[in-house]
Every structure is written in C-alpha cells, then in structure tokens.
Amino acid sequence: MSMCSGELIVAFTLLFTTAHAADADILETSRLRASRGGSAYGGWTFDGDRLDSDSIVYSIGLGTDLSFDLKLINMYRCHVHGFDDTPVSTAFLRRQNVPRKFHWHRFVLGDSDQNLTLQLPVGHGASYAADGVGSARGFKKGTGHTARALRITTMMAMLNHSRLDLLKIDIEAFEFRVFNAMLLDSSEQKPAVLRLPACQLLLEFHSRLSPLGYQAKADALLALQSLGFTLLHNVVRPSGADDAFLMNPRFCERPVSGHGAGA
C-alpha cells in the first residue's frame, strides 16, 4: 500500500509529535520526582525512580566524598564505576572499605585519550584542575600531577557499556572542553544527540575556575542541548557550587536485551 506525499507528511508529523510528547512526559516526570541524595557537600539531585539493580552509573571525579555513590549502591543495589586519579583522592580512596559494587578506575575524564597535567587551584584542598581551563584563581606551587585521561566513549568501550543510566561529572572546569569536543569530533558518525548515551547527567559547572567565567557555562549548556540534553534543575549555592541535573530521554528506556550490569 503506497502513500501520497500529503499522507507521508501527516504520518511524519504524527510520529514526530508522538515522540516529542513522549520525551516531554519523561522529562516532566523526572523533574517532579527529582530529589537530592548524599551529603551536604557531596550530594546531587537526580531521579532515583529511574534506577534499579541493573543500572549502570559512572561517577567521574570522586574527591574525598563517596556519600552519593554509596547511597546509590545501598538504595538501588546497582554498580557504580568511579573515576579519579588525583593525589588527594587517590590517598583517600586507598583508605576506604568500599562495597564490591563500587569499582574504582584510575583515570580522569578528558576531551581526548592523552596524559593530562593537573594542579591544585588556589583555595582548593583536594580537587585538582587542568592547566588552562581551571586557572582563573591560579594554582598552588608544587602541586603538578600527570594523570591518564580518557574520553567517555573510551571508558564505556573499555567496560563494555553501550549506555549509562546515570553519569555524574565533577571535574573542576574541564567539563567546558569535553562537551564541545564531542560536537567537533569529525571521526564521529553518529548524530550529535546520540554521542553521549546517558539518561541522567549530573554536572557541576565550575564557572568560578574558568578564565571565561559564566560565558563558559553558557557555551556548555548550548553544547549539551546539541547533544540532546535538557536542563531540569540547576542551583548555585553560596559556596559557588553550581549543580545541574540534565536528561537525554533517548537513553532512558533500557534496551530489551539489557546492557551488561556486571563489573
């Protein structure tokens, strides 16, 4: 049975409208259900009703507070893959007795797979930042550290994950490079909205560390919109912490075949 051009236009319009309405419903439901979990310092806003024991969580930038990661493991029995390789965090993590579903990987997040030079910003006691992007306050002398950086897609390929239920990123201003790099990657064949396959994205914007200030955040939000994410919640705390909760509804429905919940 063939369709004339007019019928095709109507069918396409109905399909787009239905898909858009379904995405809007996912976003609004999560916006209403969102709540904060973890400590006052290390907590995040997220939709816990979208997590269960089969969920895959990446927590990138661990610092010295695992309260959010441990809450997810205790409440939802899911695997959490933590990424950090900075001196203070490494010393802290080595002292912890973590549950078996917490997996520590000694890498940091980068805009390419490379060695990355990090330093401790003035006023910080634990969280290292990369040269250039996190230098607005200057760096403490003698704190230079080199870590192996991986792209998110490299991390996922290494662990055999095709999508993430929740991705938390707290990387002291390097977030401003990561998202734009995804958009500019000429080797990537996927549409932009499919390049960061995560349902929930929890992110701290470190505008206070960037030489560009809040312009860096504005640019990052535009990049995230192009990557398919919608901002559901954002609060700037008196300390300057700028915590955001975003979602890409294209990755909120789990594939029927599953996605490899093992370590």
Side-chain angles (χ1 to χ4, degrees):
M1 180 179 175
S2 61
M3 301 177 71
C4 68
S5 60
E7 290 173 323
L8 283 170
I9 292 172
V10 170
F12 178 79
T13 302
L14 288 173
L15 178 64
F16 176 81
T17 302
T18 301
H20 181 73
D23 287 352
D25 182 62
I26 290 172
L27 294 169
E28 185 61 16
T29 299
S30 287
R31 191 194 306 271
L32 293 172
R33 293 192 307 213
S35 61
R36 186 172 172 85
S39 68
Y41 170 75
W44 297 83
T45 298
F46 71 112
D47 180 4
D49 286 349
R50 295 198 179 277
L51 300 178
D52 58 30
S53 60
D54 289 328
S55 296
I56 292 294
V57 175
Y58 282 17
S59 181
I60 301 178
L62 300 171
T64 58
D65 190 324
L66 298 180
S67 60
F68 179 72
D69 311 281
L70 297 178
K71 176 184 176 67
L72 297 186
I73 293 170
N74 291 334
M75 287 195 67
Y76 308 106
R77 306 300 178 189
C78 60
H79 287 269
V80 174
H81 293 267
F83 296 82
D84 206 320
D85 186 25
T86 53
V88 178
S89 182
T90 294
F92 166 78
L93 289 164
R94 284 175 171 166
R95 297 193 301 268
Q96 305 308 302
N97 182 22
V98 296
R100 65 177 183 85
K101 287 194 172 185
F102 181 83
H103 313 278
W104 175 31
H105 307 280
R106 293 193 63 179
F107 300 99
V108 297
L109 179 62
D111 55 348
S112 63
D113 300 338
Q114 62 179 328
N115 289 332
L116 195 62
T117 300
L118 307 167
Q119 298 187 68
L120 199 58
V122 172
H124 280 215
S127 302
Y128 279 62
D131 287 349
V133 289
S135 61
R137 294 180 174 178
F139 293 111
K140 294 181 180 179
K141 293 182 179 180
T143 62
H145 172 72
T146 300
R148 184 61 180 170
L150 300 178
R151 296 171 297 169
I152 292 175
T153 51
T154 304
M155 293 174 175
M156 293 178 67
M158 178 180 71
L159 297 173
N160 196 29
H161 295 142
S162 60
R163 61 175 289 281
L164 305 176
D165 293 280
L166 188 149
L167 169 62
K168 185 221 83 181
I169 298 177
D170 186 357
I171 54 174
E172 309 305 308
F174 208 80
E175 67 273 9
F176 299 131
R177 282 192 184 173
V178 168
F179 305 121
N180 201 50
M182 286 185 165
L183 291 177
L184 295 176
D185 185 358
S186 59
S187 67
E188 178 60 76
Q189 300 300 310
K190 294 179 182 177
V193 295
L194 302 180
R195 294 183 184 182
L196 182 52
C199 172
Q200 301 188 57
L201 173 62
L202 316 184
L203 176 66
E204 181 173 355
F205 291 107
H206 294 86
S207 306
R208 63 194 185 280
L209 293 181
S210 171
L212 297 178
Y214 276 99
Q215 181 60 49
K217 177 180 178 179
D219 293 343
L221 285 170
L222 287 174
L224 285 164
Q225 184 180 41
S226 295
L227 290 168
F229 286 87
T230 297
L231 181 66
L232 300 185
H233 174 87
N234 190 197
V235 59
V236 181
R237 305 188 184 282
S239 63
D242 187 348
D243 300 338
F245 169 33
L246 305 95
M247 286 183 67
N248 185 342
R250 297 162 187 82
F251 296 103
C252 292
E253 295 298 326
R254 191 170 300 159
V256 174
S257 59
H259 52 54

